[in-house]
Amino acid sequence: MKPHPAIPIAGFLAVLAWLAAPATGLRAQDVLHLKTGQTVPCAIEAVTDNIVTFRLPGMAKNAPPRSAKMEAVEFIEFAPLPGEAKVLADPAKAPPETLEKLWTDKSRLLGRPRSNAGALGVLHARALLRGDDPLFWQRAIVICDRVRERDWDEKVRHDARETRVQALIRLERFDEARKEVAALIAETDDPGLTISLDHALARADLRKLIALQAENPRWEEDDFVRPERNRLYHEAVDRFLRPFLFHGTRETEAARGLLDAAEAHAVAGNEAERRAVLADLLAIYPNTEAAAAARGQTDPSQTKTNPTDEAPKN
Amino acid sequence: MKSRLAAIVFCGTPIVSGSGHGLFAQAPAPDAPPVQTPAGLLESARAAFDAADFATAESNFQRFMDDYGQAEETREAVRIHTPLLAVCKIRTEKFGEALEWIARSFEDPKLDPAIADELSFFRGHCLMLQRDLPGAQTAFGEYWADTAHHAARRYEALLLFAHLYLSQDLPETAAEMLADQVPKIRAAQPEAASRGAVLQLHALMASGQLDAALALVRDQYPRLEEMTQPVAFQTMTLSLGSRFLERQRWHDAIVCLQRIWPREKLLSHQLGKKAEIEKLISDRGANPAAQSQVMQLEGILKRVEREIANFEKVENYDSALRFRLATAFQGLERWREAALVLEDMLVTLPPDPVVDSASLATIQCWIQIGRWPRAVAAADRYLEKFADTGKNLPMVLYLRAEALREDLQIAEAQLAYGDLLERYPDDPLAGKAAFMQGFLYLQQDDNEGALFEFDRVRKNYADSGLVEDADYWSGMALAFSKQYEAAREAMRSYLEKYESTGAAAPKYRKEAVFRVAVCAFSLGEYEESIDLFDQFVAAHEGDPLADEANLLLGDALCALGEIDRGIAAYGAIRPDSIRFFEDGWFKTGKALKLTERFDEMRTHFERFASLYPESNRLPEAIYWIGWNDLQAGKPHKAREIYWETLELHGERPDLHSMEDLILALPMAYESDGKAGRGELLRRLEQMRFQADNADRPTLALRCAWGRARLLSLEDPARGRAALLALQPEIDPKRHNPMIAVDCAEALMDAENFNLARALLTEVRKWHPRAIQKDRVFAGLGRLAEEDGDTEKALEYYTRFERETAGSTRLGTVRLAKARLQSESGDTPGARATLEALLEDSAATAPQKAEALLALGETYAASREWKTSLPYFERVYVAYGKFGELNARAYQGRAQALERLGLNAEALEVYEELAARPDLRSFPQTGEARAGIARLESFRRKPAAPAEVAPQPTEAR
């Protein structure tokens, strides 16, 4: 059925004014917010940059939908889709298929002012990154690219860029990740992305170290393998330690870095260093998950900590 | 707004409290009446009060009170204005008088509650400023206790109450009180709570409760953004961190120092807070009803401004903070962590004295953990940052050189020491640098260079404490360059010079004495050397140098024919000095042989074989036993010792000498010719069989391998088959890599590439220093080529070049590598490889010929015809006997000449090729004939003889 042709603005506004409902406590429909300040509850059928097509409450099913020019509309308040509220309440627990459906259904609204399509897209991308399939991570990049290009909300666009970096890190596309992190850092003080990138690079080095030592079990005797082995080991540890040394109050990341450094020392067979970083972890970040994981891995009395630990504190 | 007071005075109406601001309710100033009348005084005082001109107001109110306050008519006015005068006294800082007027205000039973509230608060304030601290504290305590009092002032009173504990030197009590109260007020008054936290930290530190202070720092850090006085809190946190450092409570120090913002952020934040306070003051300043708030804010503002001013004076704040953090890590001996923190300073902070010192510490930390490249990089960064202004520059240059030396970058280290000497010839480190340069020359066998540098130390750095070292090592340099007379003289002079000082014994006394003896020996002065060695050994029993001395002593004695004494000297060498010990053993054997004490000789070497089967010289010992038996006409006995040794030690996979022994077996059977070889094969098979049955797999493998090797000499196919059969028995990790590599090469020849690759990969993995490394890389490279994995093949060939450059297979590998490089489009790489082959004196003639041809072909392929010419020519000129290569070279040159349009020359080359009978069978010869036919027209015609004019003949 063809939509009713757009009526002139003045007439349209008169109609809408007649239809405009007073604010009610419950809302289950989309709402057009006009530039006049009036609101029109309706069910949006389609929206473009120029025109919005909608059905009014109580309209007969076979009645043609109404339409209006977007120039009269301040913004559209879109009703949540089924399940959307629950997802938004706790995105980390939302099933991936739910997020996918929400994104699929809402992505057509990407870029519409006040639409949360972009935010849902970012949540969906993050859920994809929690999986183990590199194809999912690739898909996350595609979604983030759309959101960062088109969403109306600067914060959501920023979130999309950050999530994209996380996807690049997972895919070990480190050079690209580095460039994007550098660009993001220029815009924000938050070192979170740099820490993520450094951590991923360090884990990659650690994996290479493990593989190299497995391939070269007598690497100490090999004058040509030894330098590469030492480089991987030291660079991994240096990177793991960076959150602790330079962002020490970001306790979760710093503690994780110390635990990972201990793992690297263990891989390298450096027991003294391993005990030392575990001692630091337990002393400085005792209440973190990393410390809980580390407990029992070391006997701190064998490691230099505070020489006066046994002495009266004050 | 008309003054209500004025209205009251004129109309007699009692005052009514306005909108809850009591004394400070704003009223419009009427037109001022004449000053001297009571009304006039009150009017003007009131006007001044409303305009916040408290000095004028105070003066006028006081005059009113003084002049008219006793009159009955003014009693009401006095009652009403007494509180105002009290306020004026406070604002004009006449606190003692203010107390009096406050007291008088409270005598008024009708005193407005709001006014009473304020005066109660200010009473405490005045008492405090009058230094009646207990009184003030009581006043504030009472104010706080009454919950009906003004909320904001109550919190202020609470803080002042706590502050007064500190003023009375009761920090523990203040801390206890604040610990109790601050959490309770946080929700209602976060700003007051933040100032309370600052006070609390101060109180805890003042009372030495450092643990509680640390807990507070941890707790408050997340709220730093909200604090009104973050600078105060942070500077105290820094101070707390420093105290932990002093007490070597490193972890606690780190916790503190991690929670301190950088200078810029802290200052920016505090200035922002200051601006907020100033705005509040400005907004409320004109409102007399808000004066108590204004006073409070002004008090806070003063403190904030003072803190900012003090903070701005702190120099090098950021660098000092980082330095402290690094110090904590150094205290924990976390050298890496300290280095990383310090290094970051060097990169991110501007140069200042703290960064300068920190940079030096960075290098030292890297050196401490042996990360030489990082130490060098840190030194380079220092040089870049500080250029010539760094106060630690000489030390940095020296440490840079040391790090290069430890990293075995000898040439760079030498340059680095030289750089220090050139730039700072008078620095205390210059002497060390000069000495180290000399030492590095010694390491590079440049004895002349070493002598020069040691001489420089003596001449220019006499006070460096290294002259003695220079003297000794100069003697050693002379010895290394075989100038034994001069070396001996130098060592004697050294001993004389330093023994005569009467101080401690010369540092190198033992070594110098030894060297004198060695020089005598080297000069053939055996008797003198014997005496000296005897003395040395007696004086240094158990010293490693004594072992070498005994060896040389034995040599000297034997040289003089004193064989038994010589043997005794050899026998005194300790087994721990493996090299000298074995040398001594074999020299003993040789001495016994020369003196024809064959039985003793046999027993001597039998003992060696029995006691030291792991020695690399075992086959040599066995050889001598066998020689002995042959000498005695007992060839079977000679062979038996091999078998006995194999039987005894053949199951030990770590004794690679067993493979050497097996390879030496054929010599023992040589005398019996073909029958002997047959017997050997049979014995090997027999031993293999017995070993198999006795579950001695390593011995069985060795025997099978030995047999395969022997078979290969006569029948390569059978030998290869025998080697192939070894594969399931080989454990590459345990067994001699020689066996695995032999088997792998046989597998490759049989095109069983997967198994070959598996074996070679394992050999490389478990024996990275195997002598057979060249065969491993060559094999893996070839296998990668078979797989079509050019990149991998090139990787292996490159490793071959780099790690086994002395191998005889280098030429073959280089040719293969160059071919792959060419095929993958890396023409420059291919050419470089081929040129390297040509420069290698160990490369064989056919390899060089092939390299020359390949080079010519690469140039021809890139149409560099002229460049290709000499390469082709060199092949058939210098390596004429390699048929196919010559044929291709001729053709290549001829074609290049054609391309250059030098057809006559090309024709000559084709003709030369066609004329070579040894090359007739090659297709290039056929093509040469076609070329001859094609270029016939360009044949050079022989030059016509010069025309001579006919001479007239004589007529007959």
Side-chain angles (χ1 to χ4, degrees):
Chain A
M1 180 169 296
K2 280 182 1 186
H4 196 282
I7 53 180
I9 285 288
F12 169 67
L13 288 174
V15 169
L16 286 185
W18 175 65
L19 290 169
T24 57
L26 279 172
R27 175 178 63 81
Q29 293 180 306
D30 304 324
V31 179
L32 286 177
H33 289 255
L34 306 179
K35 285 182 178 168
T36 57
Q38 292 159 321
T39 58
V40 181
C42 60
I44 305 287
E45 287 198 343
V47 59
T48 69
D49 289 340
N50 298 315
I51 208 156
V52 54
T53 311
F54 56 95
R55 301 190 76 78
L56 296 167
M59 269 178 82
K61 277 187 188 169
N62 56 358
R66 302 299 174 89
S67 62
K69 289 189 179 173
M70 285 297 286
E71 64 190 28
V73 176
E74 182 69 33
F75 67 91
I76 302 172
E77 197 179 332
F78 294 97
L81 297 174
E84 183 178 326
K86 194 173 175 188
V87 160
L88 292 173
D90 196 351
K93 289 194 178 144
E97 46 282 1
T98 305
L99 284 164
E100 174 154 12
K101 184 158 189 341
L102 285 172
W103 162 247
T104 304
D105 290 344
K106 271 222 163 163
S107 58
R108 64 189 172 86
L109 300 175
L110 189 62
R112 296 284 154 226
R114 307 296 181 98
S115 158
N116 67 348
L120 283 168
V122 171
L123 289 178
H124 178 39
R126 287 179 183 166
L128 288 169
L129 290 181
R130 288 195 283 273
D132 291 326
D133 191 341
L135 286 175
F136 287 172
W137 310 338
Q138 294 274 12
R139 173 114 181 89
I141 289 180
V142 171
I143 293 169
C144 289
D145 280 343
R146 277 186 70 190
V147 172
R148 73 179 175 141
E149 281 159 21
R150 296 182 52 195
D151 198 81
W152 63 275
D153 187 339
E154 189 185 330
K155 185 188 175 309
V156 171
R157 291 200 300 275
H158 183 89
D159 288 344
R161 288 168 71 193
E162 284 197 0
T163 307
R164 186 176 191 280
V165 168
Q166 297 288 0
L168 288 170
I169 288 171
R170 289 220 67 185
L171 287 163
E172 297 197 2
R173 285 158 60 175
F174 293 126
D175 286 341
E176 289 172 72
R178 224 179 252 120
K179 281 184 194 145
E180 296 219 11
V181 167
L184 281 164
I185 281 171
E187 299 164 19
T188 171
D189 275 342
D190 185 0
L193 270 185
T194 306
I195 291 174
S196 289
L197 179 60
D198 260 350
H199 183 254
L201 287 167
R203 293 253 30 128
D205 275 347
L206 186 58
R207 284 194 293 276
K208 285 180 197 164
L209 173 66
I210 292 169
L212 183 143
Q213 288 189 169
E215 279 172 26
N216 301 275
R218 296 199 176 146
W219 57 268
E220 302 100 327
E221 299 175 21
D222 193 327
D223 294 337
F224 296 91
V225 168
R226 194 174 55 247
E228 175 63 7
R229 178 266 178 198
N230 287 341
R231 184 192 70 78
L232 288 169
Y233 164 51
H234 287 304
E235 286 192 12
V237 173
D238 289 352
R239 278 193 216 275
F240 282 138
L241 289 175
R242 288 193 73 82
F244 168 51
L245 298 176
F246 301 109
H247 308 285
T249 53
R250 294 177 75 108
E251 298 210 346
T252 304
E253 288 145 322
R256 177 187 66 178
L258 284 169
L259 190 64
D260 286 345
E263 182 188 345
H265 287 312
V267 164
N270 197 333
E271 180 59 19
E273 294 268 355
R274 186 189 75 89
R275 281 204 303 270
V277 292
L278 287 178
D280 293 344
L281 167 58
L282 294 173
I284 297 177
Y285 305 106
N287 301 320
T288 57
E289 270 185 38
R295 256 173 211 113
Q297 287 189 37
T298 186
D299 175 5
S301 67
Q302 291 182 31
T303 309
K304 188 171 179 67
T305 55
N306 284 357
T308 56
D309 269 352
E310 298 306 316
K313 287 295 184 188
N314 295 316
Chain B
M1 188 164 83
K2 294 282 183 187
S3 163
R4 279 175 289 168
L5 281 174
I8 289 161
V9 166
F10 289 124
C11 308
T13 310
I15 197 166
V16 174
S17 237
S19 54
H21 293 290
L23 291 163
F24 304 108
Q26 200 163 17
D31 297 332
V35 174
Q36 294 300 322
T37 64
L41 273 175
L42 285 178
E43 286 282 348
S44 64
R46 188 65 196 196
F49 187 91
D50 288 344
D53 178 3
F54 297 106
T56 306
E58 186 265 343
S59 169
N60 288 342
F61 278 132
Q62 187 66 60
R63 276 186 62 194
F64 173 82
M65 296 297 181
D66 291 342
D67 296 345
Y68 306 105
Q70 303 304 316
E72 187 62 32
E73 301 81 9
T74 61
R75 187 182 300 168
E76 186 61 12
V78 166
R79 184 187 73 78
I80 290 166
H81 292 93
T82 293
L84 295 187
L85 180 52
V87 170
C88 291
K89 294 291 184 188
I90 293 167
R91 293 296 278 166
T92 53
E93 298 185 4
K94 294 176 180 174
F95 299 114
E97 292 174 27
L99 281 167
E100 181 196 328
W101 289 98
I102 291 171
R104 285 197 199 181
S105 300
F106 277 113
E107 288 168 5
D108 176 7
K110 298 183 203 171
L111 181 62
D112 183 81
I115 297 166
D117 187 308
E118 290 199 42
L119 290 178
S120 296
F121 179 80
F122 279 111
R123 183 166 168 276
H125 204 72
C126 292
L127 286 168
M128 182 172 73
L129 292 167
Q130 287 290 95
R131 305 305 300 166
D132 178 3
L133 304 185
Q137 196 167 37
T138 303
F140 285 127
E142 286 169 356
Y143 190 92
W144 164 254
D146 185 352
T147 55
H149 281 141
H150 187 276
R153 279 198 290 272
R154 280 189 68 230
Y155 294 113
E156 206 59 34
L158 179 70
L159 294 180
L160 288 166
F161 183 91
H163 175 74
L164 283 163
Y165 274 128
L166 291 170
S167 303
Q168 295 173 87
D169 204 21
L170 296 168
E172 299 92 347
T173 316
E176 193 183 331
M177 177 238 148
L178 287 163
D180 180 54
Q181 292 295 327
V182 166
K184 292 175 182 170
I185 70 172
R186 180 164 292 126
Q189 270 286 331
E191 193 279 330
S194 83
R195 283 189 289 124
V198 174
L199 271 179
Q200 186 184 354
L201 182 58
H202 177 68
L204 287 168
M205 288 178 64
S207 57
Q209 297 177 69
L210 301 189
D211 286 338
L214 180 60
L216 182 65
V217 165
R218 276 188 185 264
D219 180 62
Q220 290 296 312
Y221 180 77
R223 302 191 180 98
L224 207 55
E225 297 262 355
E226 303 156 9
M227 277 196 181
T228 305
Q229 296 172 268
V231 165
F233 196 85
Q234 292 267 273
T235 46
M236 279 194 282
T237 305
L238 180 59
S239 173
L240 180 63
S242 298
R243 286 170 73 169
F244 282 131
L245 285 177
E246 285 161 20
R247 286 160 174 74
Q248 298 187 359
R249 290 177 56 177
W250 313 115
H251 284 131
D252 296 334
I254 290 168
V255 169
C256 281
L257 298 170
Q258 281 177 335
R259 283 159 174 77
I260 297 174
W261 286 354
R263 183 178 191 276
E264 192 184 313
K265 181 176 179 182
L266 190 52
L267 204 52
S268 162
H269 184 77
Q270 185 70 92
L271 287 170
K273 286 290 178 187
K274 174 173 172 265
E276 282 175 23
I277 299 168
E278 284 168 339
K279 186 168 187 313
L280 284 170
I281 292 171
S282 166
D283 287 347
R284 294 170 197 188
N287 179 3
Q291 288 309 300
S292 63
Q293 284 181 21
V294 169
M295 281 182 67
Q296 289 166 28
L297 288 168
E298 283 173 349
I300 297 169
L301 180 64
K302 265 190 204 154
R303 282 197 293 280
V304 167
E305 284 172 339
R306 196 168 49 241
E307 283 161 11
I308 291 171
N310 289 339
F311 184 69
E312 282 177 332
K313 286 180 200 158
V314 174
E315 289 183 354
N316 311 322
Y317 175 83
D318 286 334
S319 51
L321 169 61
R322 302 266 195 101
F323 200 77
R324 280 178 173 81
L325 183 61
T327 301
F329 284 118
Q330 285 175 308
L332 285 165
E333 294 180 5
R334 309 283 194 264
W335 309 114
R336 177 201 301 265
E337 286 83 335
L340 287 168
V341 168
L342 292 166
E343 195 168 75
D344 185 73
M345 277 173 72
L346 185 54
V347 171
T348 58
L349 296 181
D352 67 33
V354 177
V355 175
D356 191 316
S357 300
S359 306
L360 177 62
T362 308
I363 302 166
Q364 289 164 329
C365 284
W366 287 130
I367 286 176
Q368 181 77 26
I369 53 177
R371 289 188 66 182
W372 318 116
R374 291 298 285 261
V376 172
D380 287 339
R381 214 171 284 122
Y382 179 98
L383 296 170
E384 196 184 308
K385 198 171 192 93
F386 290 96
D388 292 331
T389 62
K391 68 178 194 311
N392 292 300
L393 191 52
M395 178 58 82
V396 167
L397 289 172
Y398 181 76
L399 291 176
R400 183 175 179 276
E402 286 283 279
L404 285 165
R405 181 178 62 80
E406 293 280 4
D407 200 32
L408 303 180
Q409 296 185 55
I410 303 299
E412 287 82 357
Q414 201 136 34
L415 287 172
Y417 287 122
D419 189 25
L420 169 58
L421 282 169
E422 192 179 314
R423 290 163 81 161
Y424 297 97
D426 300 324
D427 191 273
L429 289 168
K432 259 189 172 176
F435 177 81
M436 290 311 300
Q437 275 211 311
F439 204 78
L440 288 179
Y441 275 123
L442 272 186
Q443 284 187 296
Q444 298 173 87
D445 295 327
D446 184 345
N447 300 317
E448 290 301 316
L451 285 166
F452 175 83
E453 293 299 338
F454 293 141
D455 197 44
R456 175 149 69 153
V457 171
R458 277 190 288 274
K459 284 184 181 148
N460 299 348
Y461 303 104
D463 297 331
S464 65
L466 288 164
V467 172
E468 183 180 350
D469 303 84
D471 285 342
Y472 169 75
W473 283 104
S474 294
M476 290 302 291
L478 288 166
F480 292 150
S481 55
K482 297 184 175 22
Q483 299 177 55
Y484 297 120
E485 282 276 13
R488 178 167 61 179
E489 193 48 46
M491 289 301 183
R492 280 179 174 156
S493 300
Y494 166 82
L495 287 166
E496 195 179 310
K497 178 178 174 185
Y498 291 99
E499 276 176 330
S500 67
T501 60
K507 195 166 155 187
Y508 300 99
R509 188 179 186 286
K510 178 181 71 177
E511 289 83 1
V513 168
F514 175 74
R515 195 54 50 183
V516 168
V518 171
C519 288
F521 174 85
S522 302
L523 288 166
E525 297 169 12
Y526 295 125
E527 286 180 3
E528 176 164 351
S529 73
I530 286 166
D531 286 340
L532 291 171
F533 281 132
D534 262 337
Q535 288 168 30
F536 184 88
V537 166
H540 298 94
E541 195 180 330
D543 191 287
L545 267 184
D547 294 322
E548 191 176 352
N550 269 320
L551 185 70
L552 294 170
L553 174 61
D555 288 349
L557 286 163
C558 287
L560 291 180
E562 296 197 50
I563 304 299
D564 284 335
R565 281 185 68 197
I567 289 174
Y570 293 141
I573 301 171
R574 298 170 309 144
D576 290 348
S577 297
I578 294 174
R579 197 188 116 209
F580 298 132
F581 177 77
E582 289 186 356
D583 272 353
W585 199 288
F586 279 80
K587 288 184 179 196
T588 299
K590 188 175 171 189
L592 291 171
K593 173 177 174 259
L594 288 172
T595 51
E596 297 184 3
R597 289 145 74 171
F598 296 124
D599 288 342
E600 281 180 67
M601 177 189 170
R602 191 183 201 282
T603 306
H604 180 72
F605 283 118
E606 277 177 344
R607 273 192 69 226
F608 185 88
S610 165
L611 293 172
Y612 308 109
E614 70 279 4
S615 168
N616 289 335
R617 299 184 76 167
L618 174 70
E620 192 182 342
I622 300 296
Y623 167 78
W624 285 115
I625 296 170
W627 179 90
N628 214 295
D629 289 332
L630 288 171
Q631 183 76 10
K634 298 173 186 173
H636 293 287
K637 215 165 167 224
R639 292 164 191 168
E640 281 315 308
I641 189 63
Y642 282 86
W643 298 113
E644 280 169 19
T645 308
L646 266 175
E647 182 65 42
L648 193 58
H649 300 296
E651 186 53 24
R652 289 178 55 186
D654 55 307
L655 295 188
H656 290 184
S657 56
M658 292 296 112
E659 278 79 12
D660 294 332
L661 199 64
I662 290 173
L663 289 176
L665 270 169
M667 279 193 310
Y669 287 84
E670 210 172 4
S671 58
D672 288 353
K674 194 171 175 184
R677 285 199 296 280
E679 171 63 15
L680 176 55
L681 282 169
R682 191 191 65 73
R683 280 298 296 266
L684 282 168
E685 176 58 23
Q686 183 184 34
M687 183 166 262
R688 186 204 64 77
F689 181 77
Q690 286 166 352
D692 254 342
N693 287 342
D695 194 22
R696 302 177 77 192
T698 298
L699 178 57
L701 172 67
R702 279 171 164 152
C703 292
W705 168 75
R707 194 165 174 280
R709 273 283 196 118
L710 205 56
L711 283 170
S712 298
L713 295 173
E714 294 180 351
D715 186 344
R718 276 185 75 199
R720 184 165 56 240
L723 283 172
L724 289 173
L726 300 178
Q727 185 271 323
E729 314 305 326
I730 297 172
D731 178 353
K733 182 178 175 182
R734 293 168 56 238
H735 291 139
N736 191 324
M738 184 159 39
I739 299 177
V741 173
D742 279 353
C743 180
E745 287 178 346
L747 286 164
M748 278 200 289
D749 288 342
E751 298 191 358
N752 195 331
F753 298 130
N754 287 338
L755 282 176
R757 186 181 305 105
L759 263 183
L760 291 175
T761 303
E762 289 294 298
V763 168
R764 188 208 62 73
K765 187 170 152 178
W766 293 107
H767 305 278
R769 286 188 177 162
I771 296 170
Q772 298 82 16
K773 197 157 65 161
D774 60 335
R775 295 163 68 189
V776 169
F777 286 135
L780 286 170
R782 188 186 141 195
L783 288 165
E785 277 196 74
E786 287 292 338
D787 280 345
D789 189 346
T790 303
E791 195 181 323
K792 200 76 186 164
L794 282 170
E795 195 184 300
Y796 281 123
Y797 290 147
T798 302
R799 283 197 72 174
F800 182 106
E801 276 185 294
R802 195 177 57 189
E803 300 183 36
T804 60
S807 169
T808 54
R809 295 159 191 251
L810 182 59
T812 308
V813 165
R814 275 184 166 149
L815 286 170
K817 182 183 173 190
R819 178 172 41 75
L820 288 178
Q821 285 171 312
S822 256
E823 287 168 6
S824 59
D826 181 15
T827 305
R831 288 175 187 164
T833 302
L834 292 166
E835 294 286 358
L837 190 157
L838 289 174
E839 283 169 25
D840 181 8
S841 56
T844 62
Q847 289 168 348
K848 288 191 175 182
E850 202 170 329
L852 284 166
L853 180 64
L855 275 163
E857 287 173 346
T858 69
Y859 285 112
S862 56
R863 308 176 76 79
E864 295 172 72
W865 311 113
K866 195 168 173 192
T867 312
S868 73
L869 292 173
Y871 290 101
F872 289 130
E873 189 176 22
R874 274 169 68 186
V875 173
Y876 54 78
V877 167
Y879 303 97
K881 64 181 180 182
F882 303 114
E884 190 198 342
L885 298 178
N886 275 236
R888 285 163 61 192
Y890 273 118
Q891 184 184 46
R893 183 171 161 84
Q895 286 174 347
L897 286 166
E898 276 197 79
R899 291 288 192 158
L900 287 167
L902 299 171
N903 294 317
E905 289 80 357
L907 176 60
E908 285 172 14
V909 173
Y910 281 131
E911 284 181 328
E912 202 174 314
L913 168 55
R916 288 230 352 215
D918 58 320
L919 303 181
R920 270 189 204 136
S921 61
F922 295 104
Q924 288 83 6
T925 303
E927 287 162 26
R929 290 198 192 97
I932 291 166
R934 185 172 62 250
L935 298 175
E936 185 60 47
S937 59
F938 293 97
R939 184 180 298 286
R940 290 186 220 272
K941 294 182 174 41
E947 282 200 7
V948 178
Q951 296 292 324
T953 55
E954 287 183 1
R956 284 196 189 181

